[in-house]
Amino acid sequence: MQTFARPRVVVSRCIEFDHCRWNGDMIRSEVVGRMNAHVEFVPVCAEAEIGLGIPREPVRLVGEGDEVRLVQHETGRDVTEMMTGFAAAFLDDLGEVDGFLLKSRSPSCGIKGVKIYSSMKGGASRGTRAGLFAEAVLSRHPDLPVEDEGRLRNRRIREHFLIRLFTLAGFREARAHGDLQALSEFHARNKFLLMAYSQKELQTLGNVVANQESQPFEEVVATYERHLRAALKNPPKATSRTNVLFHALGYFKDSLSPEEKAFFLETVEHYRKNEVTICPNLTILRSWIVRFGIDYLAEQTFFSPLPPGLMEVPPDLSQDQRDYWKEEKGRPGL
């Protein structure tokens, strides 16, 4: 059974962890709830950490010329330096992490879309940007996965974010062994996944692992990490995933009947036309992996990149929805 390294993720404390929003509320997130069993969370509330209290007067971003300040507009208190100082100190002491999950549109933690007001009184905004704490995160860790809980409602964004987290956590685990053997094994397990994300970076990573110049392990692993993060930065395209499906099919070409091959190719074509998700294709390949006992493919993270249960079934496809065909009191059935 496949095991997964446990990602270390900084999360805004108001998301499922504490009633620490400005009004004492806590944000509910089903995604964070599902992640909790598989992730080491590091909760933080930047506003509470700089002493603003719970509850507190809300803060906002206010533009002053070319400068943007973080202020409690109802009291006129400017907390810009306190926030930037805390962010720098927190990130200095944080240690290694695999990503960040921050509160959407927060003047402190929003990663984008935070309104900048023209004055303390509010009125029309003069644009948007990241919150001050989030800005420090994005500046310090531009190649790590950073998302907000609002964007993770989108299935594609959520899948990409989670795959990056668990792949980077697996790399950390391999690096901790301190030898090229563990790094080579990590690379081999993730070859198909990296092929889907970036064939260019896959080729570079293969050359790095080969280490033909006999560089010290520390240099090899640092170079590998840099290119791994670059490879995972953008989500894979459907065409790249299709290429991986065909590549996997090659392992079974001498074992399948013509009818089986035709059925698989038809399913791939449905995926290419955006008529189905990639799941039917992966299910067929997994069944053949088990049937023919191909251990190399069984270890490929492309086929199972995440722990079971992290990617829930969409509500409109769930078997747990109410029975729409059953008559309800005062209302005829369909």
Side-chain angles (χ1 to χ4, degrees):
M1 181 178 294
Q2 186 176 350
T3 59
F4 294 88
R6 196 175 180 87
R8 188 167 186 254
V9 181
V10 175
V11 63
S12 291
R13 203 170 84 207
C14 63
I15 306 175
E16 286 287 346
F17 284 92
D18 193 9
H19 292 266
C20 61
R21 293 204 72 205
W22 67 272
N23 58 359
D25 282 351
M26 179 171 66
I27 303 299
R28 293 297 181 184
S29 170
E30 185 175 345
V31 176
V32 172
R34 288 175 177 269
M35 290 174 65
N36 209 22
H38 307 283
V39 169
E40 178 193 344
F41 277 121
V42 182
V44 60
C45 176
E47 293 178 18
E49 291 291 344
I50 63 173
L52 296 187
I54 307 169
R56 56 186 172 273
E57 300 296 335
V59 294
R60 67 170 44 148
L61 297 179
V62 176
E64 294 183 352
D66 295 333
E67 200 173 18
V68 175
R69 311 294 295 178
L70 182 66
V71 298
Q72 284 185 315
H73 55 281
E74 294 183 10
T75 65
R77 185 182 181 188
D78 188 320
V79 295
T80 306
E81 278 70 31
M82 293 174 65
M83 181 60 70
T84 55
F86 166 74
F90 176 82
L91 294 173
D92 284 344
D93 296 337
L94 180 59
E96 281 198 290
V97 292
D98 301 298
F100 295 78
L101 177 51
L102 304 177
K103 178 68 192 78
S104 62
R105 301 188 185 278
S106 159
S108 302
C109 294
I111 63 173
K112 61 175 62 178
V114 182
K115 289 183 178 180
I116 306 170
Y117 292 92
S118 300
S119 70
M120 290 282 195
K121 296 180 180 180
S125 67
R126 51 178 279 188
T128 62
R129 54 163 283 169
L132 290 197
F133 180 79
E135 181 184 46
V137 169
L138 293 167
S139 177
R140 186 79 66 95
H141 298 289
D143 52 359
L144 283 184
V146 181
E147 280 295 353
D148 64 52
E149 92 292 350
R151 281 171 51 84
L152 290 191
R153 297 188 189 101
N154 180 287
R155 184 177 177 87
R156 286 194 65 204
I157 294 174
R158 182 167 69 253
E159 181 182 49
H160 177 51
F161 177 70
L162 292 173
I163 288 175
R164 291 176 76 193
L165 287 181
F166 280 90
T167 305
L168 292 174
F171 166 76
R172 278 198 303 108
E173 191 174 78
R175 185 185 59 193
H177 284 79
D179 57 62
L180 280 174
Q181 178 65 28
L183 183 62
S184 297
E185 291 173 357
F186 168 84
H187 181 73
R189 289 193 304 272
N190 288 279
K191 184 176 180 180
F192 280 36
L193 181 70
L194 293 168
M195 185 185 301
Y197 268 84
S198 173
Q199 292 195 42
K200 176 184 176 182
E201 291 293 351
L202 171 62
Q203 183 176 3
T204 300
L205 289 164
N207 292 334
V208 173
V209 169
N211 194 24
Q212 294 180 350
E213 297 179 1
S214 299
Q215 295 181 324
F217 175 75
E218 291 75 14
E219 293 183 20
V220 172
V221 79
T223 303
Y224 190 95
E225 181 175 17
R226 185 171 66 254
H227 285 280
L228 175 64
R229 293 185 178 189
L232 297 174
K233 193 168 184 64
N234 297 313
K237 297 179 180 179
T239 51
S240 297
R241 283 179 154 185
T242 300
N243 178 60
V244 177
L245 295 176
F246 285 133
H247 186 74
L249 178 63
Y251 284 79
F252 307 102
K253 62 182 180 181
D254 297 327
S255 304
L256 300 173
S257 69
E259 292 79 11
E260 287 175 310
K261 292 179 184 177
F263 176 69
F264 181 74
L265 293 175
E266 180 183 0
T267 309
V268 173
E269 183 64 11
H270 287 312
Y271 170 64
R272 190 188 66 79
K273 291 181 177 179
N274 204 31
E275 296 172 349
V276 299
T277 68
I278 198 173
C279 293
N281 301 277
L282 296 179
T283 300
I284 294 170
L285 288 171
R286 288 192 196 105
S287 71
W288 290 343
I289 291 170
V290 173
R291 175 180 164 190
F292 298 111
I294 303 180
D295 293 338
Y296 174 71
L297 293 185
E299 294 179 354
Q300 287 299 312
T301 57
F302 175 78
F303 299 109
S304 298
L306 301 172
L310 273 184
M311 293 295 294
E312 77 277 7
V313 176
D316 59 331
L317 299 179
S318 173
Q319 301 181 60
D320 295 330
Q321 297 300 300
R322 71 178 177 85
D323 187 349
Y324 292 97
W325 293 268
K326 182 179 178 180
E327 289 192 15
E328 298 179 9
K329 187 176 180 179
R331 187 177 171 187
L334 297 178

